[in-house]
Amino acid sequence: MINTKGVRFQKRKRLLPGVWLNFSKTGVSVTIGGSLLSFNISRRGVFLNSSLKGTGLSYRKQIKGNKKR
């Protein structure tokens, strides 16, 4: 059996400007917003994402959902 724990898969499809449908091996989610500020809605909860473009700095905070992993 092949160990796939370290392997990641993600595919994004733009639905509308600023709205993305994300596919990964763990499920489907929706991202709303741009590169500076966005919200991600998935089965794991709702996340607020922000980043400073060009710096590599980003911040992610879960704002709704089960905090346990």
Side-chain angles (χ1 to χ4, degrees), residues 18-57:
V19 180
W20 297 87
L21 190 58
N22 310 302
F23 302 93
S24 72
K25 69 179 187 177
T26 58
V28 178
S29 67
V30 175
T31 301
I32 302 167
S35 60
L36 183 62
L37 185 68
S38 66
F39 292 93
N40 181 266
I41 304 162
S42 71
R43 65 182 178 90
R44 294 166 63 193
V46 178
F47 293 85
L48 170 67
N49 307 295
S50 62
S51 64
L52 293 174
K53 194 170 183 171
T55 65
L57 296 173

PDB file of all heavy atoms in Angstrom, residues 18-57:
ATOM      1  N   GLY A  18     -14.056  36.582  -7.771  1.00  0.00           N
ATOM      2  CA  GLY A  18     -13.978  36.572  -6.312  1.00  0.00           C
ATOM      3  C   GLY A  18     -14.609  35.366  -5.639  1.00  0.00           C
ATOM      4  O   GLY A  18     -14.642  35.283  -4.430  1.00  0.00           O
ATOM      5  N   VAL A  19     -15.109  34.391  -6.427  1.00  0.00           N
ATOM      6  CA  VAL A  19     -15.726  33.185  -5.860  1.00  0.00           C
ATOM      7  C   VAL A  19     -15.077  31.954  -6.503  1.00  0.00           C
ATOM      8  O   VAL A  19     -15.095  31.800  -7.719  1.00  0.00           O
ATOM      9  CB  VAL A  19     -17.255  33.148  -6.097  1.00  0.00           C
ATOM     10  CG1 VAL A  19     -17.860  31.892  -5.499  1.00  0.00           C
ATOM     11  CG2 VAL A  19     -17.919  34.384  -5.520  1.00  0.00           C
ATOM     12  N   TRP A  20     -14.478  31.102  -5.655  1.00  0.00           N
ATOM     13  CA  TRP A  20     -13.777  29.917  -6.123  1.00  0.00           C
ATOM     14  C   TRP A  20     -14.365  28.663  -5.508  1.00  0.00           C
ATOM     15  O   TRP A  20     -14.738  28.647  -4.331  1.00  0.00           O
ATOM     16  CB  TRP A  20     -12.304  29.997  -5.726  1.00  0.00           C
ATOM     17  CG  TRP A  20     -11.583  31.132  -6.354  1.00  0.00           C
ATOM     18  CD1 TRP A  20     -11.487  32.413  -5.874  1.00  0.00           C
ATOM     19  CD2 TRP A  20     -10.892  31.127  -7.590  1.00  0.00           C
ATOM     20  NE1 TRP A  20     -10.756  33.185  -6.733  1.00  0.00           N
ATOM     21  CE2 TRP A  20     -10.375  32.413  -7.793  1.00  0.00           C
ATOM     22  CE3 TRP A  20     -10.633  30.151  -8.539  1.00  0.00           C
ATOM     23  CZ2 TRP A  20      -9.625  32.742  -8.906  1.00  0.00           C
ATOM     24  CZ3 TRP A  20      -9.885  30.478  -9.646  1.00  0.00           C
ATOM     25  CH2 TRP A  20      -9.385  31.759  -9.815  1.00  0.00           C
ATOM     26  N   LEU A  21     -14.409  27.589  -6.284  1.00  0.00           N
ATOM     27  CA  LEU A  21     -14.784  26.262  -5.802  1.00  0.00           C
ATOM     28  C   LEU A  21     -13.485  25.467  -5.721  1.00  0.00           C
ATOM     29  O   LEU A  21     -12.756  25.356  -6.714  1.00  0.00           O
ATOM     30  CB  LEU A  21     -15.769  25.611  -6.765  1.00  0.00           C
ATOM     31  CG  LEU A  21     -16.447  24.327  -6.328  1.00  0.00           C
ATOM     32  CD1 LEU A  21     -17.223  24.533  -5.034  1.00  0.00           C
ATOM     33  CD2 LEU A  21     -17.368  23.820  -7.416  1.00  0.00           C
ATOM     34  N   ASN A  22     -13.161  24.951  -4.540  1.00  0.00           N
ATOM     35  CA  ASN A  22     -11.902  24.259  -4.291  1.00  0.00           C
ATOM     36  C   ASN A  22     -12.151  22.770  -4.117  1.00  0.00           C
ATOM     37  O   ASN A  22     -13.030  22.370  -3.356  1.00  0.00           O
ATOM     38  CB  ASN A  22     -11.242  24.804  -3.019  1.00  0.00           C
ATOM     39  CG  ASN A  22     -11.172  26.309  -3.016  1.00  0.00           C
ATOM     40  OD1 ASN A  22     -10.604  26.909  -3.897  1.00  0.00           O
ATOM     41  ND2 ASN A  22     -11.790  26.918  -2.015  1.00  0.00           N
ATOM     42  N   PHE A  23     -11.354  21.961  -4.793  1.00  0.00           N
ATOM     43  CA  PHE A  23     -11.438  20.509  -4.683  1.00  0.00           C
ATOM     44  C   PHE A  23     -10.130  19.991  -4.114  1.00  0.00           C
ATOM     45  O   PHE A  23      -9.052  20.395  -4.562  1.00  0.00           O
ATOM     46  CB  PHE A  23     -11.647  19.865  -6.057  1.00  0.00           C
ATOM     47  CG  PHE A  23     -12.870  20.328  -6.772  1.00  0.00           C
ATOM     48  CD1 PHE A  23     -12.805  21.384  -7.669  1.00  0.00           C
ATOM     49  CD2 PHE A  23     -14.085  19.717  -6.554  1.00  0.00           C
ATOM     50  CE1 PHE A  23     -13.921  21.818  -8.344  1.00  0.00           C
ATOM     51  CE2 PHE A  23     -15.223  20.144  -7.225  1.00  0.00           C
ATOM     52  CZ  PHE A  23     -15.142  21.194  -8.113  1.00  0.00           C
ATOM     53  N   SER A  24     -10.199  19.112  -3.116  1.00  0.00           N
ATOM     54  CA  SER A  24      -9.005  18.476  -2.576  1.00  0.00           C
ATOM     55  C   SER A  24      -9.338  17.032  -2.267  1.00  0.00           C
ATOM     56  O   SER A  24     -10.494  16.611  -2.396  1.00  0.00           O
ATOM     57  CB  SER A  24      -8.521  19.190  -1.316  1.00  0.00           C
ATOM     58  OG  SER A  24      -9.396  18.937  -0.244  1.00  0.00           O
ATOM     59  N   LYS A  25      -8.341  16.275  -1.846  1.00  0.00           N
ATOM     60  CA  LYS A  25      -8.619  14.869  -1.567  1.00  0.00           C
ATOM     61  C   LYS A  25      -9.456  14.685  -0.302  1.00  0.00           C
ATOM     62  O   LYS A  25      -9.994  13.614  -0.075  1.00  0.00           O
ATOM     63  CB  LYS A  25      -7.337  14.050  -1.503  1.00  0.00           C
ATOM     64  CG  LYS A  25      -6.445  14.306  -0.346  1.00  0.00           C
ATOM     65  CD  LYS A  25      -5.235  13.387  -0.426  1.00  0.00           C
ATOM     66  CE  LYS A  25      -4.405  13.514   0.824  1.00  0.00           C
ATOM     67  NZ  LYS A  25      -3.280  12.591   0.807  1.00  0.00           N
ATOM     68  N   THR A  26      -9.606  15.749   0.504  1.00  0.00           N
ATOM     69  CA  THR A  26     -10.427  15.645   1.708  1.00  0.00           C
ATOM     70  C   THR A  26     -11.823  16.239   1.538  1.00  0.00           C
ATOM     71  O   THR A  26     -12.643  16.126   2.442  1.00  0.00           O
ATOM     72  CB  THR A  26      -9.742  16.338   2.900  1.00  0.00           C
ATOM     73  OG1 THR A  26      -9.514  17.705   2.569  1.00  0.00           O
ATOM     74  CG2 THR A  26      -8.432  15.666   3.251  1.00  0.00           C
ATOM     75  N   GLY A  27     -12.118  16.884   0.403  1.00  0.00           N
ATOM     76  CA  GLY A  27     -13.454  17.420   0.197  1.00  0.00           C
ATOM     77  C   GLY A  27     -13.499  18.640  -0.694  1.00  0.00           C
ATOM     78  O   GLY A  27     -12.543  18.963  -1.392  1.00  0.00           O
ATOM     79  N   VAL A  28     -14.631  19.339  -0.635  1.00  0.00           N
ATOM     80  CA  VAL A  28     -14.893  20.510  -1.467  1.00  0.00           C
ATOM     81  C   VAL A  28     -15.150  21.698  -0.550  1.00  0.00           C
ATOM     82  O   VAL A  28     -15.763  21.558   0.502  1.00  0.00           O
ATOM     83  CB  VAL A  28     -16.130  20.271  -2.366  1.00  0.00           C
ATOM     84  CG1 VAL A  28     -16.446  21.483  -3.196  1.00  0.00           C
ATOM     85  CG2 VAL A  28     -15.921  19.063  -3.249  1.00  0.00           C
ATOM     86  N   SER A  29     -14.675  22.881  -0.955  1.00  0.00           N
ATOM     87  CA  SER A  29     -14.941  24.093  -0.193  1.00  0.00           C
ATOM     88  C   SER A  29     -15.149  25.252  -1.157  1.00  0.00           C
ATOM     89  O   SER A  29     -14.882  25.142  -2.347  1.00  0.00           O
ATOM     90  CB  SER A  29     -13.798  24.405   0.771  1.00  0.00           C
ATOM     91  OG  SER A  29     -12.627  24.753   0.066  1.00  0.00           O
ATOM     92  N   VAL A  30     -15.626  26.381  -0.615  1.00  0.00           N
ATOM     93  CA  VAL A  30     -15.855  27.592  -1.395  1.00  0.00           C
ATOM     94  C   VAL A  30     -15.046  28.718  -0.760  1.00  0.00           C
ATOM     95  O   VAL A  30     -15.053  28.875   0.459  1.00  0.00           O
ATOM     96  CB  VAL A  30     -17.349  27.974  -1.412  1.00  0.00           C
ATOM     97  CG1 VAL A  30     -17.571  29.300  -2.123  1.00  0.00           C
ATOM     98  CG2 VAL A  30     -18.177  26.880  -2.066  1.00  0.00           C
ATOM     99  N   THR A  31     -14.341  29.484  -1.592  1.00  0.00           N
ATOM    100  CA  THR A  31     -13.606  30.650  -1.119  1.00  0.00           C
ATOM    101  C   THR A  31     -14.218  31.892  -1.740  1.00  0.00           C
ATOM    102  O   THR A  31     -14.450  31.933  -2.947  1.00  0.00           O
ATOM    103  CB  THR A  31     -12.116  30.562  -1.493  1.00  0.00           C
ATOM    104  OG1 THR A  31     -11.573  29.379  -0.904  1.00  0.00           O
ATOM    105  CG2 THR A  31     -11.350  31.770  -0.994  1.00  0.00           C
ATOM    106  N   ILE A  32     -14.490  32.900  -0.898  1.00  0.00           N
ATOM    107  CA  ILE A  32     -15.074  34.156  -1.346  1.00  0.00           C
ATOM    108  C   ILE A  32     -14.130  35.276  -0.943  1.00  0.00           C
ATOM    109  O   ILE A  32     -13.767  35.393   0.229  1.00  0.00           O
ATOM    110  CB  ILE A  32     -16.459  34.383  -0.701  1.00  0.00           C
ATOM    111  CG1 ILE A  32     -17.391  33.224  -1.039  1.00  0.00           C
ATOM    112  CG2 ILE A  32     -17.051  35.715  -1.136  1.00  0.00           C
ATOM    113  CD1 ILE A  32     -18.656  33.177  -0.234  1.00  0.00           C
ATOM    114  N   GLY A  33     -13.717  36.092  -1.909  1.00  0.00           N
ATOM    115  CA  GLY A  33     -12.845  37.213  -1.621  1.00  0.00           C
ATOM    116  C   GLY A  33     -11.648  37.248  -2.537  1.00  0.00           C
ATOM    117  O   GLY A  33     -11.580  36.534  -3.535  1.00  0.00           O
ATOM    118  N   GLY A  34     -10.672  38.063  -2.166  1.00  0.00           N
ATOM    119  CA  GLY A  34      -9.482  38.231  -2.976  1.00  0.00           C
ATOM    120  C   GLY A  34      -8.228  37.827  -2.236  1.00  0.00           C
ATOM    121  O   GLY A  34      -8.282  37.121  -1.224  1.00  0.00           O
ATOM    122  N   SER A  35      -7.080  38.304  -2.730  1.00  0.00           N
ATOM    123  CA  SER A  35      -5.812  37.901  -2.134  1.00  0.00           C
ATOM    124  C   SER A  35      -5.557  38.583  -0.787  1.00  0.00           C
ATOM    125  O   SER A  35      -4.882  38.026   0.069  1.00  0.00           O
ATOM    126  CB  SER A  35      -4.666  38.202  -3.091  1.00  0.00           C
ATOM    127  OG  SER A  35      -4.614  39.578  -3.373  1.00  0.00           O
ATOM    128  N   LEU A  36      -6.093  39.764  -0.580  1.00  0.00           N
ATOM    129  CA  LEU A  36      -5.875  40.474   0.681  1.00  0.00           C
ATOM    130  C   LEU A  36      -6.724  39.902   1.816  1.00  0.00           C
ATOM    131  O   LEU A  36      -6.243  39.701   2.928  1.00  0.00           O
ATOM    132  CB  LEU A  36      -6.185  41.967   0.510  1.00  0.00           C
ATOM    133  CG  LEU A  36      -5.931  42.858   1.712  1.00  0.00           C
ATOM    134  CD1 LEU A  36      -4.460  42.838   2.085  1.00  0.00           C
ATOM    135  CD2 LEU A  36      -6.388  44.269   1.421  1.00  0.00           C
ATOM    136  N   LEU A  37      -7.988  39.607   1.553  1.00  0.00           N
ATOM    137  CA  LEU A  37      -8.918  39.103   2.561  1.00  0.00           C
ATOM    138  C   LEU A  37      -9.910  38.159   1.902  1.00  0.00           C
ATOM    139  O   LEU A  37     -10.515  38.505   0.883  1.00  0.00           O
ATOM    140  CB  LEU A  37      -9.673  40.279   3.206  1.00  0.00           C
ATOM    141  CG  LEU A  37     -10.601  39.961   4.349  1.00  0.00           C
ATOM    142  CD1 LEU A  37      -9.809  39.509   5.568  1.00  0.00           C
ATOM    143  CD2 LEU A  37     -11.428  41.179   4.707  1.00  0.00           C
ATOM    144  N   SER A  38     -10.100  36.970   2.484  1.00  0.00           N
ATOM    145  CA  SER A  38     -11.057  36.016   1.933  1.00  0.00           C
ATOM    146  C   SER A  38     -11.644  35.160   3.042  1.00  0.00           C
ATOM    147  O   SER A  38     -11.084  35.056   4.135  1.00  0.00           O
ATOM    148  CB  SER A  38     -10.403  35.126   0.876  1.00  0.00           C
ATOM    149  OG  SER A  38      -9.423  34.295   1.456  1.00  0.00           O
ATOM    150  N   PHE A  39     -12.779  34.539   2.745  1.00  0.00           N
ATOM    151  CA  PHE A  39     -13.441  33.591   3.627  1.00  0.00           C
ATOM    152  C   PHE A  39     -13.493  32.257   2.922  1.00  0.00           C
ATOM    153  O   PHE A  39     -13.779  32.194   1.727  1.00  0.00           O
ATOM    154  CB  PHE A  39     -14.881  34.037   3.947  1.00  0.00           C
ATOM    155  CG  PHE A  39     -14.943  35.266   4.791  1.00  0.00           C
ATOM    156  CD1 PHE A  39     -15.047  36.515   4.215  1.00  0.00           C
ATOM    157  CD2 PHE A  39     -14.890  35.166   6.173  1.00  0.00           C
ATOM    158  CE1 PHE A  39     -15.105  37.658   4.983  1.00  0.00           C
ATOM    159  CE2 PHE A  39     -14.953  36.307   6.959  1.00  0.00           C
ATOM    160  CZ  PHE A  39     -15.055  37.545   6.365  1.00  0.00           C
ATOM    161  N   ASN A  40     -13.213  31.186   3.660  1.00  0.00           N
ATOM    162  CA  ASN A  40     -13.282  29.840   3.120  1.00  0.00           C
ATOM    163  C   ASN A  40     -14.327  29.075   3.912  1.00  0.00           C
ATOM    164  O   ASN A  40     -14.281  29.040   5.139  1.00  0.00           O
ATOM    165  CB  ASN A  40     -11.920  29.157   3.211  1.00  0.00           C
ATOM    166  CG  ASN A  40     -11.951  27.762   2.635  1.00  0.00           C
ATOM    167  OD1 ASN A  40     -12.152  26.808   3.353  1.00  0.00           O
ATOM    168  ND2 ASN A  40     -11.782  27.678   1.336  1.00  0.00           N
ATOM    169  N   ILE A  41     -15.270  28.461   3.196  1.00  0.00           N
ATOM    170  CA  ILE A  41     -16.360  27.717   3.824  1.00  0.00           C
ATOM    171  C   ILE A  41     -16.219  26.257   3.410  1.00  0.00           C
ATOM    172  O   ILE A  41     -16.240  25.934   2.222  1.00  0.00           O
ATOM    173  CB  ILE A  41     -17.728  28.260   3.374  1.00  0.00           C
ATOM    174  CG1 ILE A  41     -17.811  29.757   3.689  1.00  0.00           C
ATOM    175  CG2 ILE A  41     -18.862  27.492   4.034  1.00  0.00           C
ATOM    176  CD1 ILE A  41     -18.880  30.491   2.934  1.00  0.00           C
ATOM    177  N   SER A  42     -16.065  25.369   4.422  1.00  0.00           N
ATOM    178  CA  SER A  42     -15.904  23.949   4.156  1.00  0.00           C
ATOM    179  C   SER A  42     -16.617  23.157   5.240  1.00  0.00           C
ATOM    180  O   SER A  42     -17.184  23.730   6.171  1.00  0.00           O
ATOM    181  CB  SER A  42     -14.420  23.574   4.116  1.00  0.00           C
ATOM    182  OG  SER A  42     -13.854  23.630   5.403  1.00  0.00           O
ATOM    183  N   ARG A  43     -16.534  21.852   5.155  1.00  0.00           N
ATOM    184  CA  ARG A  43     -17.164  21.006   6.172  1.00  0.00           C
ATOM    185  C   ARG A  43     -16.467  21.141   7.518  1.00  0.00           C
ATOM    186  O   ARG A  43     -17.018  20.811   8.558  1.00  0.00           O
ATOM    187  CB  ARG A  43     -17.186  19.547   5.734  1.00  0.00           C
ATOM    188  CG  ARG A  43     -15.835  18.917   5.598  1.00  0.00           C
ATOM    189  CD  ARG A  43     -15.936  17.475   5.101  1.00  0.00           C
ATOM    190  NE  ARG A  43     -14.632  16.893   4.925  1.00  0.00           N
ATOM    191  CZ  ARG A  43     -13.965  16.231   5.862  1.00  0.00           C
ATOM    192  NH1 ARG A  43     -14.504  16.052   7.040  1.00  0.00           N
ATOM    193  NH2 ARG A  43     -12.776  15.737   5.615  1.00  0.00           N
ATOM    194  N   ARG A  44     -15.233  21.657   7.530  1.00  0.00           N
ATOM    195  CA  ARG A  44     -14.486  21.859   8.769  1.00  0.00           C
ATOM    196  C   ARG A  44     -14.811  23.176   9.449  1.00  0.00           C
ATOM    197  O   ARG A  44     -14.387  23.421  10.572  1.00  0.00           O
ATOM    198  CB  ARG A  44     -12.995  21.779   8.478  1.00  0.00           C
ATOM    199  CG  ARG A  44     -12.595  20.384   8.041  1.00  0.00           C
ATOM    200  CD  ARG A  44     -11.225  20.333   7.440  1.00  0.00           C
ATOM    201  NE  ARG A  44     -10.208  20.701   8.407  1.00  0.00           N
ATOM    202  CZ  ARG A  44      -8.961  20.974   8.078  1.00  0.00           C
ATOM    203  NH1 ARG A  44      -8.593  20.939   6.824  1.00  0.00           N
ATOM    204  NH2 ARG A  44      -8.087  21.287   8.991  1.00  0.00           N
ATOM    205  N   GLY A  45     -15.546  24.079   8.767  1.00  0.00           N
ATOM    206  CA  GLY A  45     -15.917  25.350   9.364  1.00  0.00           C
ATOM    207  C   GLY A  45     -15.717  26.506   8.409  1.00  0.00           C
ATOM    208  O   GLY A  45     -15.498  26.328   7.215  1.00  0.00           O
ATOM    209  N   VAL A  46     -15.771  27.718   8.968  1.00  0.00           N
ATOM    210  CA  VAL A  46     -15.566  28.946   8.199  1.00  0.00           C
ATOM    211  C   VAL A  46     -14.258  29.575   8.663  1.00  0.00           C
ATOM    212  O   VAL A  46     -14.026  29.729   9.869  1.00  0.00           O
ATOM    213  CB  VAL A  46     -16.736  29.934   8.402  1.00  0.00           C
ATOM    214  CG1 VAL A  46     -16.497  31.222   7.634  1.00  0.00           C
ATOM    215  CG2 VAL A  46     -18.051  29.291   7.983  1.00  0.00           C
ATOM    216  N   PHE A  47     -13.407  29.931   7.705  1.00  0.00           N
ATOM    217  CA  PHE A  47     -12.098  30.481   8.014  1.00  0.00           C
ATOM    218  C   PHE A  47     -11.947  31.861   7.393  1.00  0.00           C
ATOM    219  O   PHE A  47     -12.400  32.102   6.273  1.00  0.00           O
ATOM    220  CB  PHE A  47     -10.986  29.581   7.467  1.00  0.00           C
ATOM    221  CG  PHE A  47     -10.907  28.247   8.148  1.00  0.00           C
ATOM    222  CD1 PHE A  47     -11.703  27.188   7.733  1.00  0.00           C
ATOM    223  CD2 PHE A  47     -10.043  28.050   9.205  1.00  0.00           C
ATOM    224  CE1 PHE A  47     -11.633  25.960   8.349  1.00  0.00           C
ATOM    225  CE2 PHE A  47      -9.963  26.826   9.836  1.00  0.00           C
ATOM    226  CZ  PHE A  47     -10.762  25.772   9.415  1.00  0.00           C
ATOM    227  N   LEU A  48     -11.297  32.752   8.113  1.00  0.00           N
ATOM    228  CA  LEU A  48     -10.919  34.073   7.615  1.00  0.00           C
ATOM    229  C   LEU A  48      -9.450  33.991   7.234  1.00  0.00           C
ATOM    230  O   LEU A  48      -8.614  33.564   8.034  1.00  0.00           O
ATOM    231  CB  LEU A  48     -11.119  35.126   8.703  1.00  0.00           C
ATOM    232  CG  LEU A  48     -10.556  36.515   8.413  1.00  0.00           C
ATOM    233  CD1 LEU A  48     -11.322  37.161   7.273  1.00  0.00           C
ATOM    234  CD2 LEU A  48     -10.620  37.370   9.649  1.00  0.00           C
ATOM    235  N   ASN A  49      -9.126  34.363   6.002  1.00  0.00           N
ATOM    236  CA  ASN A  49      -7.758  34.331   5.503  1.00  0.00           C
ATOM    237  C   ASN A  49      -7.351  35.735   5.094  1.00  0.00           C
ATOM    238  O   ASN A  49      -8.113  36.436   4.446  1.00  0.00           O
ATOM    239  CB  ASN A  49      -7.646  33.421   4.272  1.00  0.00           C
ATOM    240  CG  ASN A  49      -8.204  32.040   4.530  1.00  0.00           C
ATOM    241  OD1 ASN A  49      -7.686  31.307   5.344  1.00  0.00           O
ATOM    242  ND2 ASN A  49      -9.288  31.712   3.842  1.00  0.00           N
ATOM    243  N   SER A  50      -6.145  36.121   5.478  1.00  0.00           N
ATOM    244  CA  SER A  50      -5.621  37.410   5.029  1.00  0.00           C
ATOM    245  C   SER A  50      -4.136  37.247   4.742  1.00  0.00           C
ATOM    246  O   SER A  50      -3.471  36.390   5.319  1.00  0.00           O
ATOM    247  CB  SER A  50      -5.859  38.507   6.063  1.00  0.00           C
ATOM    248  OG  SER A  50      -5.186  38.200   7.255  1.00  0.00           O
ATOM    249  N   SER A  51      -3.624  38.055   3.808  1.00  0.00           N
ATOM    250  CA  SER A  51      -2.213  37.978   3.475  1.00  0.00           C
ATOM    251  C   SER A  51      -1.723  39.333   2.982  1.00  0.00           C
ATOM    252  O   SER A  51      -2.500  40.162   2.520  1.00  0.00           O
ATOM    253  CB  SER A  51      -1.966  36.919   2.405  1.00  0.00           C
ATOM    254  OG  SER A  51      -2.600  37.272   1.202  1.00  0.00           O
ATOM    255  N   LEU A  52      -0.435  39.532   3.121  1.00  0.00           N
ATOM    256  CA  LEU A  52       0.210  40.724   2.586  1.00  0.00           C
ATOM    257  C   LEU A  52       0.927  40.309   1.308  1.00  0.00           C
ATOM    258  O   LEU A  52       1.924  39.581   1.362  1.00  0.00           O
ATOM    259  CB  LEU A  52       1.194  41.314   3.598  1.00  0.00           C
ATOM    260  CG  LEU A  52       0.567  41.885   4.854  1.00  0.00           C
ATOM    261  CD1 LEU A  52       1.648  42.302   5.841  1.00  0.00           C
ATOM    262  CD2 LEU A  52      -0.327  43.058   4.522  1.00  0.00           C
ATOM    263  N   LYS A  53       0.390  40.721   0.195  1.00  0.00           N
ATOM    264  CA  LYS A  53       0.891  40.301  -1.111  1.00  0.00           C
ATOM    265  C   LYS A  53       2.373  40.635  -1.277  1.00  0.00           C
ATOM    266  O   LYS A  53       2.813  41.722  -0.936  1.00  0.00           O
ATOM    267  CB  LYS A  53       0.071  40.989  -2.202  1.00  0.00           C
ATOM    268  CG  LYS A  53       0.265  40.410  -3.555  1.00  0.00           C
ATOM    269  CD  LYS A  53      -0.738  40.957  -4.533  1.00  0.00           C
ATOM    270  CE  LYS A  53      -0.576  40.301  -5.867  1.00  0.00           C
ATOM    271  NZ  LYS A  53      -1.625  40.635  -6.766  1.00  0.00           N
ATOM    272  N   GLY A  54       3.117  39.673  -1.766  1.00  0.00           N
ATOM    273  CA  GLY A  54       4.530  39.866  -2.039  1.00  0.00           C
ATOM    274  C   GLY A  54       5.456  39.648  -0.862  1.00  0.00           C
ATOM    275  O   GLY A  54       6.671  39.670  -1.019  1.00  0.00           O
ATOM    276  N   THR A  55       4.896  39.429   0.343  1.00  0.00           N
ATOM    277  CA  THR A  55       5.735  39.269   1.534  1.00  0.00           C
ATOM    278  C   THR A  55       5.842  37.814   1.978  1.00  0.00           C
ATOM    279  O   THR A  55       6.747  37.463   2.721  1.00  0.00           O
ATOM    280  CB  THR A  55       5.178  40.074   2.720  1.00  0.00           C
ATOM    281  OG1 THR A  55       3.904  39.533   3.084  1.00  0.00           O
ATOM    282  CG2 THR A  55       5.059  41.536   2.389  1.00  0.00           C
ATOM    283  N   GLY A  56       4.894  36.983   1.577  1.00  0.00           N
ATOM    284  CA  GLY A  56       4.856  35.612   2.057  1.00  0.00           C
ATOM    285  C   GLY A  56       4.182  35.475   3.412  1.00  0.00           C
ATOM    286  O   GLY A  56       4.070  34.378   3.950  1.00  0.00           O
ATOM    287  N   LEU A  57       3.718  36.587   3.981  1.00  0.00           N
ATOM    288  CA  LEU A  57       3.044  36.559   5.278  1.00  0.00           C
ATOM    289  C   LEU A  57       1.548  36.364   5.097  1.00  0.00           C
ATOM    290  O   LEU A  57       0.925  37.022   4.270  1.00  0.00           O
ATOM    291  CB  LEU A  57       3.284  37.870   6.028  1.00  0.00           C
ATOM    292  CG  LEU A  57       4.721  38.172   6.407  1.00  0.00           C
ATOM    293  CD1 LEU A  57       4.815  39.578   6.981  1.00  0.00           C
ATOM    294  CD2 LEU A  57       5.229  37.147   7.404  1.00  0.00           C
TER     295      LEU A  57
END
